[in-house]
Amino acid sequence: DVYKRQTVDFIIDTVCKYYGVKKEKLLGNGRPKRIVIPRQIAMYLAKQLTSRSLPEIGRKFDRDHTTVMHAVRKVEELILEDASLAENVDALRRILEA
């Protein structure tokens, strides 16, 4: 399966580059919106594009698996509500699948 070849680290690096966010910030505990949204998108894409479990993804972000579940649900909601966010997630998916 082509998607399952992605690594969580590569997804994190790609999201950081796309949003111009430092990796330490994305993986840190800060909660400003400009960090939280990319962090949640990275978790969402990690769940969608890898075969990693929620606890495995959580460990990469130094978070609990419930945080990853919340991020996935949140991004699914935001994609429906916010066209520009949906476009960003699409663009990231295309970059990651290239």
Side-chain angles (χ1 to χ4, degrees), residues 1-92:
D1 191 28
V2 102
Y3 303 124
K4 306 305 179 193
R5 284 199 295 259
Q6 291 301 348
T7 68
V8 176
D9 290 314
F10 181 67
I11 291 169
I12 291 169
D13 291 341
T14 304
V15 170
C16 286
K17 201 176 299 168
Y18 186 86
Y19 280 101
V21 171
K22 285 190 167 50
K23 190 171 181 174
E24 310 74 78
K25 293 266 188 222
L26 190 92
L27 298 177
N29 289 321
R31 307 229 359 216
K33 193 169 180 136
R34 62 177 215 73
I35 303 293
V36 170
I37 299 294
R39 180 187 295 146
Q40 289 179 332
I41 290 171
M43 289 181 188
Y44 168 82
L45 289 168
K47 184 67 192 123
Q48 300 294 313
L49 302 178
T50 73
S51 51
R52 299 278 160 245
S53 68
L54 293 169
E56 286 174 308
I57 294 167
R59 282 194 289 278
K60 289 285 185 184
F61 288 87
D62 201 20
R63 300 290 193 286
D64 191 78
H65 75 278
T66 57
T67 305
V68 181
M69 272 172 22
H70 169 76
V72 170
R73 274 199 302 269
K74 186 73 184 161
V75 172
E76 286 170 348
E77 277 170 34
L78 289 170
I79 285 171
L80 298 174
E81 296 164 9
D82 181 337
S84 77
L85 183 130
E87 283 170 29
N88 287 336
V89 172
D90 252 14
L92 276 159

